[in-house]
């Protein structure tokens, strides 16, 4: 286990999120992992409004004691479609039943799209890693504004889409893509090398009662918060997901960056439905591609025990 006292070649990381319950757990995992030099956390609208997402992100940052990391507010709405939210999954505040307070530290000045462009263009090529756990609006707009970032970005890991798992916000679409399908289309067809964690992957990682109890038992502020959030998600899943245990979507992006060996991927192409009212946001994940030239890799298998072992290890810090 790395100590944050040990000088390591830390991975420059930008997280772009729509802080709801699982984004919050992903942020706690990242904030507690000394392998990362978190350049900033960018926000957009998604699970709840853009204003609530920015506030939620600052709340989690304060709980984790990481006010050294800037929170940079981004696009307040999707590129084309009207905003959609997922408050039924994340609670009215977006943070389940956590106590909501006005965080001490403000958001940074400036816009997340400019922040992403400035960080990627001012640092060595492929040195900035990007994890996207919400609608891809900020990244898509940054790619349009400054196409050079497409080749200059380091590893990009995105939670979004679905293939064999259908959908979670409508029958045929996953929320992050459904919320801004045009942004997803821009990103997935950009040629940027991306690893995608769709529902096919995240539905393999369930916050079971045993795993949630293990998180709570750690007793640190981060673990208490994560345990409360996961318990809230379990209550929602019991009601809305036919009694299933809640999937751990967004933390899988951070776990992939820390322990890629826990994940299996397959080369693919991803196209997004943007026109049909019935299937808007559907991701057509095509495996019949040349693996030597394909830019997208789809996560097909996850070692869920390994992901939770990592989460427990870091939340204990
Ligand atoms: O479909 C799951 C995704 O949508 C997660 O990122 C969750 O936070 C919501 O944004
Ligand atoms: Ca999210």
């Amino acid at each position: 286990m790395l100590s944050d006292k040990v000088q390591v070649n830390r991975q420059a990381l930008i997280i772009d999120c729509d802080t709801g319950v699982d984004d919050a757990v992903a942020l706690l995992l990242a904030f507690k992992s000394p392998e990362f030099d978190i350049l900033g956390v960018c926000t957009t609208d998604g699970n709840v409004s853009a204003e609530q997402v920015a506030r939620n992100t600052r709340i989690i940052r304060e709980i984790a004691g990481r006010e050294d990391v800037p929170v940079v507010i981004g696009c307040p709405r999707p590129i084309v479609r009207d905003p959609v939210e997922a408050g039924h999954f994340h609670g009215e505040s977006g943070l389940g039943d956590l106590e909501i307070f006005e965080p001490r530290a403000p958001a940074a000045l400036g816009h997340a799209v400019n922040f992403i462009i400035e960080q990627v263009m001012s640092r060595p090529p492929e040195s900035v890693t990007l994890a996207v756990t919400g609608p891809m609006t900020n990244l898509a707009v940054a790619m349009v504004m400054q196409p050079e970032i497409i080749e200059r970005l380091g590893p990009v890991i995105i939670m979004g889409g679905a293939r064999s798992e259908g959908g979670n916000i409508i029958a045929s679409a996953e929320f992050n893509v459904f919320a801004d399908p045009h942004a997803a289309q821009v990103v997935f067809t950009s040629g940027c090398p991306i690893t995608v964690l769709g529902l096919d992957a995240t539905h393999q990682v369930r916050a079971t009662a045993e795993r949630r109890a293990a998180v709570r038992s750690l007793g640190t502020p981060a673990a208490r918060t994560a345990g409360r959030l996961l318990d809230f998600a379990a209550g929602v899943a019991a009601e809305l997901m036919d009694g299933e245990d809640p999937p751990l979507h967004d933390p899988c992006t951070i776990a992939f960056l820390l322990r890629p060996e826990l994940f299996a991927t397959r080369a693919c192409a991803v196209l997004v439905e943007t026109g049909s009212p019935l299937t808007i946001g559907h991701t057509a994940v095509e495996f019949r591609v040349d693996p030597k030239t394909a830019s997208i890799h789809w996560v097909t298998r996850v070692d869920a025990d390994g992901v939770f072992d990592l989460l427990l290890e870091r939340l204990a810090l």
Side-chain angles (χ1 to χ4, degrees):
M1 172 44 211
L2 287 160
S3 153
D4 55 0
K5 303 286 184 288
V6 172
Q7 285 306 313
V8 292
N9 180 20
R10 298 195 304 165
Q11 189 174 8
L13 172 65
I14 295 173
I15 299 171
D16 191 75
C17 58
D18 63 332
T19 307
V21 166
D22 59 327
D23 304 76
V25 178
L27 288 171
L28 290 169
L29 176 57
F31 285 145
K32 294 296 177 182
S33 295
E35 294 90 335
F36 297 126
D37 171 15
I38 305 178
L39 305 177
V41 180
C42 298
T43 67
T44 186
D45 86 313
N47 286 320
V48 288
S49 72
E51 294 75 19
Q52 289 175 297
V53 166
R55 179 207 60 199
N56 292 349
T57 306
R58 292 165 51 218
I59 285 175
I60 298 299
R61 173 181 67 172
E62 185 165 318
I63 289 172
R66 291 303 307 272
E67 290 159 290
D68 58 300
V69 176
V71 171
V72 194
I73 297 171
C75 295
R77 53 149 297 139
I79 294 174
V80 174
R81 70 166 302 160
D82 290 334
V84 290
E85 296 184 6
H88 44 308
F89 282 106
H90 299 269
E92 191 179 334
S93 72
L95 288 179
D97 58 6
L98 282 195
E99 176 209 351
I100 298 304
F101 58 90
E102 183 55 32
R104 290 188 299 258
L109 298 176
H111 194 288
V113 171
N114 294 325
F115 178 82
I116 292 168
I117 291 170
E118 287 155 11
Q119 293 295 324
V120 173
M121 297 306 292
S122 65
R123 293 171 180 265
E126 301 184 23
S127 67
V128 176
T129 297
L130 177 64
V132 182
T133 65
M136 298 164 224
T137 316
N138 290 333
L139 178 55
V141 172
M143 286 179 164
V144 171
M145 274 179 71
Q146 185 92 39
E148 292 81 354
I149 69 168
I150 293 170
E151 286 195 355
R152 204 176 172 91
L153 267 164
V156 177
I157 175 75
I158 293 175
M159 193 279 137
R163 187 172 193 271
S164 57
E165 287 293 294
N168 60 357
I169 191 73
I170 60 172
S172 55
E174 175 280 325
F175 178 80
N176 286 339
V177 176
F178 179 77
D180 196 340
H182 303 85
Q185 181 77 329
V186 166
V187 172
F188 286 146
T189 58
S190 68
C192 182
I194 299 169
T195 301
V196 184
L197 278 153
L199 297 182
D200 303 20
T202 62
H203 280 183
Q204 298 176 41
V205 189
R206 299 284 177 156
T208 62
E210 183 185 357
R211 287 168 172 166
R212 288 185 277 115
V215 169
R216 289 195 306 272
S217 70
L218 295 171
T220 61
R224 281 198 299 273
T225 301
R228 186 106 175 255
L229 290 163
L230 293 176
D231 284 346
F232 179 87
V236 170
E239 185 187 335
L240 301 181
M241 296 175 71
D242 204 20
E244 293 178 5
D245 288 315
L248 200 68
H249 301 295
D250 296 337
C252 286
T253 61
I254 306 303
F256 178 87
L257 292 172
L258 291 167
R259 296 276 188 285
E261 67 276 10
L262 298 177
F263 301 82
T265 66
R266 188 172 174 183
C268 71
V270 181
L271 293 178
V272 181
E273 175 59 61
T274 57
S276 155
L278 176 65
T279 59
I280 188 166
H282 175 73
T283 43
V285 182
E286 179 57 72
F287 289 142
R288 289 171 298 176
V289 295
D290 179 352
K292 293 190 291 298
T293 59
S295 63
I296 310 279
H297 282 80
W298 185 256
V299 177
T300 54
R301 285 194 318 279
V302 187
D303 173 352
D305 286 334
V307 168
F308 266 92
D309 289 347
L310 172 66
L311 185 63
L312 290 170
E313 177 189 294
R314 298 304 162 90
L315 292 178
L317 293 179

